[in-house]
Structures are given as C-alpha cells and as structure tokens.
Amino acid sequence: MTSATEIPTVRLRGGSAMPMLGLGTWQAEGNRCYEAVCHALERGYRHIDTATGYGNEAEVGRAVHDSGVPREDLFITTKLPPGRAGRERQTIEQSLRKLGTGYVDLWLIHWPPGGRARPEVWQQLLAARDAGLARAVGVSNYRLGQIDELVNATGEAPAVNQIPWSPPEHDPRLLAGHRERDVVVEGYSPFRGSDLAHPTLREIAEGYGVSPAQVVLRWHLQHRIVVIPKSVTPARIDENLDVLGFALTDAQMSGIDAIGGR
Ligand SMILES: NC(=O)c1ccc[n+]([C@@H]2O[C@H](COP(=O)([O-])OP(=O)(O)OC[C@H]3O[C@@H](n4cnc5c(N)ncnc54)[C@H](OP(=O)(O)O)[C@@H]3O)[C@@H](O)[C@H]2O)c1
C-alpha cells in the first residue's frame, strides 16, 4: 500500500506542494462521503477534492476532523459555483465553516461563469488568497484563451486548471499550452472518460498484475498530470492509491496516448 509520503507532489505557484493523486468526491453524498473520506485518509490519501456544488463540504470536514490527520499534512480543494460570482467572499467563508478549517489549499472557479472568463471574479479569488483564506487559487473548465484573459487583466495566472483528462481525451498540445503558461493540469473523471475494457489498457494491466484503472492513474502521474479518482468503495479507494509499485515504459505511455488519436 502506498504511504502518504510516497505520493509525488507538484509545486504550485506561490510555493505550496500539491499531492498528485487525490480523492474525488462528486456524487459522494452524506454518510457515504464521510466514510469514503475517512477510509481514504486512514489509508494514506492526503488530497481531497470537493466543491460547494457537491453539497458535501460538511461531510468532508467532519471526516477530516475525525481522521486526526494534522491539517498541515492535508491538501483540500473546493470550488466556487459560477452562480455565486459576485458573492465570492461570502461563499468561501461558508465553505471554510463547513470544512471546519481556516483555509483551503486550493480554491477554484468551478466553471467560467456564463461561459466567460470573468476577470473580476478571478480578482476576488486572488483577494481571498491574499487574505489567507486559500493557499492557492485556480480555475476549472477554462480554455487557454480564457486563462490568457485572466492573466492580461490581472497579471496573475491560475495555479491550476482542473479539466477532464483520460486516455481518450489526451491532448498533448493542450498540455503543452498549460505548461507554457506555468498552469498545472489537474485531470478529472479519469475513469468516466475512459474505456477500462480497452485492449491496450487491459494488456498492459495484465502484464503488471494490476487493473486497467491503475494503469490509467499511473499514466496520469507519469505525464505529471494531477489526478483525482472518485470512489466510495473501500477496495477501490485502496486500489486507486496503489499505483506506485510499477512503471509504464515509454512505449506503453505512447500506446495509451494513442487511444485518443490526437
Ligand atoms: N471540475 C469539474 O467540473 C469536475 C467535473 C467532474 C469531476 N470532478 C472531480 O473529479 C473527480 C473524479 O471524476 P468523476 O467523479 O467524474 O469520475 P471518475 O473518478 O472518473 O470515476 C468515478 C466512477 O468510477 C468508479 N471507480 C472508482 N474507482 C474504480 C476502479 N478502481 N475501478 C473501476 N471503477 C472505479 C466509481 O465507483 P464507486 O464510487 O461506486 O466505487 C465511480 O462510479 C470527481 O469526483 C470530482 O472531485 C470535477
């Protein structure tokens, strides 16, 4: 089993270290969410991804509290719903109360509000960071052009863009575009976007005695893409963390890259 200290981290602008594998919590509700987060923290996860829109910040907060893991060892992300643009400060304060913490490690704009970049919303995230309510701030579901709009207006790029990323969605040019801008790519829906029965994934998985899901997560890590698989099933939570005991070859990486055909 992977221990917390082995999970690789990526350095975010501003200096904090983000564990490259975390637990997703979309559609993890009520006590199932609480139990999943408790289990994950007990098994060594140190990064939890939630959002105001998931309606489970209080359950995440309760699990974090009950885990006894020191706050400084955790990386907690939450997100501003686009409908709360204009009420940013109130929303983050409410999130912090529910999470039972004085700060989050990462606060994201969940979607471009109304489909637009909205630099004035971004400015409010920067202000919350400067006030110490978030260690780092970023965006989710933004296009590169929209990130450029934020930078042009404020001089500051998001630390992270959380976007869908899986083998069929792999896009080397999009990845390079983020890296040119020093924006960390955090990939969501690693399995939802994948076909876990794809022969390339199955063949590689069989070779290492692991599951296709583990191959997908390992592929993210070797591309230095942060990944946040969601599960409320204890055995899968364990499986998804246990991806450091094998390494994909360059040929296997290229084979998986080719699934998406880009
Ligand atoms: N920013 C955004 O707009 C956005 C959008 C979507 C997602 N996200 C974030 O990204 C996280 C992950 O994405 P996601 O929830 O869409 O999907 P996902 O992590 O790709 O897939 C979750 C599904 O896969 C199953 N699963 C988990 N581990 C598995 C394994 N080892 N083998 C087979 N199946 C497995 C889960 O089932 P069980 O839970 O029943 O075990 C669940 O049905 C979310 O939870 C959320 O935190 C962000």
Side-chain angles (χ1 to χ4, degrees):
M1 177 59 55
T2 301
S3 77
T5 49
E6 287 170 331
I7 300 169
T9 57
V10 61
R11 192 66 53 191
L12 300 184
R13 54 174 74 239
S16 51
M18 178 182 200
M20 294 195 64
L21 187 98
L23 181 75
T25 66
W26 179 39
Q27 296 177 323
E29 284 158 14
N31 215 41
R32 294 200 86 189
C33 175
Y34 169 78
E35 283 176 2
V37 177
C38 286
H39 182 82
L41 293 175
E42 202 250 314
R43 300 315 289 253
Y45 283 76
R46 291 295 177 264
H47 169 180
I48 309 292
D49 182 80
T50 181
T52 298
Y54 300 167
N56 60 15
E57 289 172 313
E59 284 75 16
V60 170
R62 194 156 57 86
V64 162
H65 173 266
D66 292 354
S67 73
V69 177
R71 176 67 186 90
E72 61 272 21
D73 292 349
L74 292 173
F75 191 99
I76 302 174
T77 300
T78 194
K79 313 185 192 87
L80 173 81
R84 297 277 183 95
R87 288 175 291 158
E88 296 85 359
R89 186 63 177 248
Q90 198 184 326
T91 305
I92 183 77
E93 285 174 354
Q94 201 176 67
S95 289
L96 295 177
R97 270 196 302 279
K98 288 189 175 166
L99 287 163
T101 179
Y103 66 92
V104 285
D105 297 278
L106 182 63
W107 192 34
L108 305 176
I109 305 176
H110 204 149
W111 291 85
R116 291 184 296 122
R118 301 283 300 273
E120 76 284 9
V121 177
W122 175 235
Q123 193 73 62
Q124 292 304 312
L125 267 78
L126 294 171
R129 180 202 60 192
D130 293 344
L133 305 181
R135 291 271 155 92
V137 285
V139 295
S140 178
N141 299 303
Y142 270 59
R143 295 193 305 270
L144 287 176
Q146 293 178 317
I147 289 175
D148 290 340
E149 279 185 59
L150 301 184
V151 176
N152 291 339
T154 65
E156 289 217 49
V160 168
N161 190 16
Q162 188 183 110
I163 50 179
W165 210 279
S166 61
E169 292 161 320
H170 183 62
D171 183 344
R173 284 176 58 189
L174 187 57
L175 189 57
H178 283 87
R179 296 208 163 137
E180 279 158 21
R181 291 162 177 79
D182 194 21
V183 176
V184 169
V185 173
E186 178 176 18
Y188 71 67
S189 300
F191 307 140
R192 200 183 292 275
S194 295
D195 170 11
L196 294 178
H198 192 284
T200 301
L201 297 177
R202 280 172 58 172
E203 192 184 308
I204 295 171
E206 274 164 28
Y208 292 110
V210 298
S211 68
Q214 288 172 306
V215 170
V216 168
L217 300 175
R218 179 76 209 180
W219 170 83
H220 283 80
L221 296 184
Q222 287 186 218
H223 268 307
R224 301 285 297 160
I225 296 169
V226 178
V227 67
I228 44 172
K230 173 264 179 184
S231 179
V232 292
T233 311
R236 286 174 167 174
I237 293 172
D238 295 352
E239 178 184 323
N240 295 342
L241 187 65
D242 190 14
V243 295
L244 300 179
F246 67 103
L248 302 170
T249 64
D250 289 349
Q252 290 168 334
M253 288 294 290
S254 306
I256 301 170
D257 291 354
I259 289 175
R262 286 193 185 89

